[in-house]
């Protein structure tokens, strides 16, 4: 037995509460992030990802407090994303107890920020979050990077971009399909396979999970190292334990919850 | 009240380690004071020392040398339990091939090697580097820090380099190749994985460290 594929519940947080936007609108409340994190950790989650979806300046203090409270109770890796734009934002989150930060828009506007971040804090804590949308179909599909919650195209090829981010020092890629996010129709596994085959670092698939089989497909068809999901866990459709059990039944190596 | 010094040489996030040790102290009702510090006096006075580390070895070694951390660790190893984690473990060795080759502290015989760019799994699949996530640790021999930790428990790893050393392994893991994921030598216990991020098994190991008298 070797390295287990990871299941990462994602907490999208708005002003101190867990929410889940379907295609970034229609936001539903799913509870207190500290309680939710603890519940997932006890159920066998391999990591927790915390995304601050508003990240306005005033709410920054709330986020830092929440991250600190999660880190004091949950002893598995914690990634924090949303509004990470400066080296100081990273320092503040790591000091609050985050283990990794996810850089998204700031990387698109200033790719050298990723290099500076990796040099200062180490690649092991720099995750680059990539929001990709399919722009060409057929035999040679293409995906582009979109910003602003999937509204603004950038013209940047997503697969090439991921390779460049790894060259700059990204230790992991969090890959979200904007076409699938919130749809519950499954991952875009052609995208996952294209990126996972192109980079040497681990890839986390995100966007579109509606069933447990979708999680397994991400690993089997998409070739990813970790799968991220939010709403199927938040609204008690499935537990993390059920997700692990299902993946194991499909021949995927997973870590069983510890007592 | 016993004190645990977490050596802070400015490299990365020590809050996770400090928080986990404080949590374990509370759970076990052991009065613990955790000091995140680079002051030789505090480290010398502590009952136990944790030598952590993340990031690139060249930068870590530069700070370790600048702050004289090697001397503090060497001295601590003579008299009290020391837990080295991740790059802390690697820094104890003689040499690392990271960053084009870096001399380390040489407090433990052995070297640090890269996993390689063409690492393959059992089925011939290409393995990602860094080795990131939960892997099994087989307990190569008994040790007080393994007490109550089931053999082949999974721990959280994140690293691209691994330690090669002979005769002192307490834990072995497999990622493309078999490597030493923990070793022990008299007062020192070192782990490539992060016990502070390894939930139940990791917290148990930290609890055992708080109760271990060394040697």
């Amino acid at each position: 037995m070797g390295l287990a594929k990871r299941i990462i519940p994602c907490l999208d947080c708005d002003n101190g509460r867990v929410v889940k936007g379907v295609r970034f609108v229609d936001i539903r409340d799913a509870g207190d992030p500290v309680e939710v994190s603890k519940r997932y950790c006890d159920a066998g989650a391999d990591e927790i990802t915390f995304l601050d979806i508003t990240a306005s300046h005033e709410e920054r203090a709330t986020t830092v407090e929440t991250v600190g409270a999660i880190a004091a109770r949950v002893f598995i890796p914690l990634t924090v994303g949303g509004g990470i734009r400066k080296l100081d934002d990273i320092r503040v989150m790591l000091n609050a107890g985050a283990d990794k930060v996810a850089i998204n828009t700031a990387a698109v506007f200033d790719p050298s920020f990723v290099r500076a971040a990796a040099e200062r804090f180490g690649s092991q804590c720099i995750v680059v979050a990539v929001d990709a949308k399919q722009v060409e179909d057929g035999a040679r599909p293409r995906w582009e990077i979109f910003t602003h919650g999937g509204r603004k195209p950038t013209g940047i090829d997503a697969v090439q971009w991921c390779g460049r981010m790894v060259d700059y020092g990204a230790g992991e890629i969090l890959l979200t399909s904007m076409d699938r996010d919130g749809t519950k129709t499954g991952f875009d596994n052609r995208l996952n396979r294209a990126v996972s085959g192109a980079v040497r670092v681990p890839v986390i698939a995100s966007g579109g999970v509606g069933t447990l089989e979708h999680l397994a497909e991400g690993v089997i068809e998409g070739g990813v190292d970790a799968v991220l999901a939010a709403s199927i866990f938040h609204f008690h459709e499935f537990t993390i334990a059920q997700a692990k059990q299902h993946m194991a039944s499909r021949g995927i190596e997973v870590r069983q919850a510890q007592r | 009240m016993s004190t645990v010094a977490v050596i802070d040489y400015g490299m990365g996030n020590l809050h996770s380690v400090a928080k986990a040790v404080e949590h374990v102290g509370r759970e076990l009702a052991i009065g613990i004071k955790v000091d995140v510090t680079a002051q030789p006096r505090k480290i010398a006075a502590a009952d136990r020392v944790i030598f952590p580390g993340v990031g690139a070895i060249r930068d870590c070694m530069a700070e370790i040398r600048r702050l004289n951390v090697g001397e503090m660790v060497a001295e601590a190893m003579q008299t009290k339990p020391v837990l080295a984690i991740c790059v802390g473990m690697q820094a104890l060795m003689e040499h690392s091939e990271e960053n084009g080759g870096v001399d380390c502290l040489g407090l433990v015989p052995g070297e640090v090697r890269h996993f390689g760019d063409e690492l393959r799994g059992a089925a011939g699949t290409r393995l990602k580097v860094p080795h990131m996530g939960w892997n099994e640790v087989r307990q190569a021999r008994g040790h007080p820090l393994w007490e109550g930790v089931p053999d082949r428990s999974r721990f959280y790893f994140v690293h691209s380099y691994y330690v090669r050393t002979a005769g002192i392994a307490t834990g072995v893991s497999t990622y493309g190749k078999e490597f030493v994921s923990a070793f022990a030598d008299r007062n020192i216990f070192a782990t490539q994985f992060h016990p502070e991020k390894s939930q139940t098994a990791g917290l148990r190991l930290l609890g055992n460290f708080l109760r271990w008298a060394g040697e």
Side-chain angles (χ1 to χ4, degrees):
Chain A
M1 298 295 267
L3 187 65
K5 299 293 180 184
R6 289 169 282 156
I7 296 182
I8 307 176
C10 176
L11 282 58
D12 294 303
C13 284
D14 184 6
N15 206 10
R17 298 291 290 178
V18 180
V19 295
K20 177 57 193 174
V22 176
R23 288 182 194 260
F24 293 108
V25 290
D26 180 25
I27 286 167
R28 295 159 69 185
D29 189 290
D32 168 39
V34 182
E35 290 307 316
V36 173
S37 301
K38 184 80 175 71
R39 189 174 82 224
Y40 290 158
C41 181
D42 290 343
D46 297 309
E47 297 188 21
I48 302 280
T49 289
F50 178 103
L51 288 180
D52 191 1
I53 61 167
T54 53
S56 75
H57 230 68
E58 311 78 71
E59 286 160 5
R60 213 68 196 152
T62 312
T63 304
V64 173
E65 232 169 76
T66 308
V67 168
I70 295 172
R73 291 187 61 189
V74 168
F75 299 98
I76 58 174
L78 172 64
T79 302
V80 177
I84 303 289
R85 297 186 182 93
K86 307 185 299 287
L87 290 178
D88 202 51
D89 297 332
I90 301 176
R91 191 187 55 79
V92 167
M93 286 308 170
L94 296 180
N95 282 348
D99 298 288
K100 316 181 206 178
V101 293
I103 304 174
N104 189 341
T105 312
V108 179
F109 291 131
D110 178 14
S112 68
F113 175 53
V114 172
R115 179 173 278 157
E119 275 174 10
R120 175 68 189 84
F121 302 102
S123 291
Q124 83 290 336
C125 71
I126 304 300
V127 182
V128 171
V130 173
D131 293 341
K133 220 176 196 174
Q134 190 163 357
V135 290
E136 276 170 46
D137 207 348
R140 297 195 56 175
R142 252 188 96 245
W143 296 267
E144 265 182 28
I145 304 293
F146 278 67
T147 60
H148 298 85
R151 292 188 301 274
K152 278 198 179 171
T154 62
I156 302 169
D157 181 87
V159 177
Q160 283 173 13
W161 174 251
C162 291
R164 187 168 167 215
M165 288 297 96
V166 172
D167 289 341
Y168 278 29
E172 205 171 18
I173 299 286
L174 168 55
L175 181 61
T176 301
S177 161
M178 301 307 291
D179 301 305
R180 300 299 181 91
D181 198 39
T183 64
K184 291 181 173 275
T185 55
F187 292 122
D188 182 346
N189 284 315
R190 287 200 297 175
L191 170 67
N192 289 333
R193 186 156 286 286
V195 171
S196 191
V199 300
R200 63 175 185 272
V201 304
V203 174
I204 306 165
S206 154
V209 174
T211 68
L212 297 181
E213 180 58 14
H214 289 157
L215 297 171
E217 285 167 1
V219 174
I220 295 166
E221 292 169 27
V224 299
D225 306 282
V227 287
L228 180 139
S231 52
I232 64 159
F233 298 129
H234 296 339
F235 299 107
H236 305 275
E237 289 164 52
F238 301 103
T239 65
I240 303 273
Q242 286 172 319
K244 292 251 167 123
Q245 211 168 33
H246 181 78
M247 284 174 70
S249 78
R250 300 285 272 111
I252 299 167
E253 190 169 349
V254 291
R255 160 184 167 259
Q256 297 302 335
Q258 300 171 338
R259 302 266 169 262
Chain B
M1 180 70 77
S2 91
T3 55
V4 179
V6 178
I7 305 182
D8 177 13
Y9 50 99
M11 294 303 295
N13 176 16
L14 309 178
H15 298 265
S16 294
V17 185
K19 278 188 168 173
V21 171
E22 279 164 0
H23 173 85
V24 168
R26 278 194 303 273
E27 294 273 293
L28 297 175
I30 304 174
I32 293 283
K33 186 171 173 292
V34 179
D35 243 333
V36 178
T37 181
Q39 284 186 35
R41 203 167 33 83
K42 284 191 173 168
I43 291 162
D47 299 299
R48 286 179 179 75
V49 171
I50 296 180
F51 182 36
V54 292
I57 194 79
R58 184 184 51 212
D59 300 343
C60 283
M61 283 310 302
E63 285 308 288
I64 284 169
R65 293 199 199 286
R66 191 175 68 81
L67 296 166
N68 242 338
V69 168
E71 220 165 274
M72 300 177 212
V73 173
E75 203 181 286
M77 283 167 67
Q78 299 301 315
T79 54
K80 56 197 167 202
V82 177
L83 176 64
I85 300 171
C86 195
V87 178
M89 175 200 209
Q90 298 181 2
L92 295 172
M93 314 313 289
E94 292 161 307
H95 188 265
S96 170
E97 62 178 24
E98 191 177 357
N99 302 126
V102 173
D103 283 334
C104 302
L105 293 172
L107 296 173
V108 174
E111 54 180 1
V112 183
R113 302 284 285 269
H114 189 244
F115 271 121
D117 293 325
E118 279 305 313
L119 200 62
R120 300 269 162 190
T125 48
R126 187 172 68 114
L127 297 178
K128 299 296 181 74
V129 177
H131 171 226
M132 184 187 285
W134 299 79
N135 204 337
E136 286 186 359
V137 176
R138 298 188 296 287
Q139 296 171 14
R141 60 188 169 93
H143 190 279
L145 263 66
W146 288 140
E147 204 181 314
V149 179
D151 191 19
R152 295 175 179 269
S153 289
R154 286 185 186 274
F155 288 86
Y156 189 82
F157 289 82
V158 50
H159 62 124
S160 302
Y161 294 79
Y162 64 95
V163 159
R164 283 228 310 204
T165 182
I168 56 172
T170 49
V172 176
S173 301
T174 304
Y175 193 60
K177 57 188 86 182
E178 203 169 79
F179 68 95
V180 175
S181 47
F183 68 67
D185 186 17
R186 285 162 309 196
N187 280 326
I188 196 139
F189 194 95
T191 65
Q192 182 60 67
F193 54 81
H194 289 271
E196 76 279 14
K197 286 287 141 191
S198 298
Q199 212 204 357
T200 315
L203 297 178
R204 195 159 290 159
L205 189 146
L206 289 176
N208 291 341
F209 175 68
L210 294 181
R211 289 180 293 205
W212 181 44
E215 291 286 339

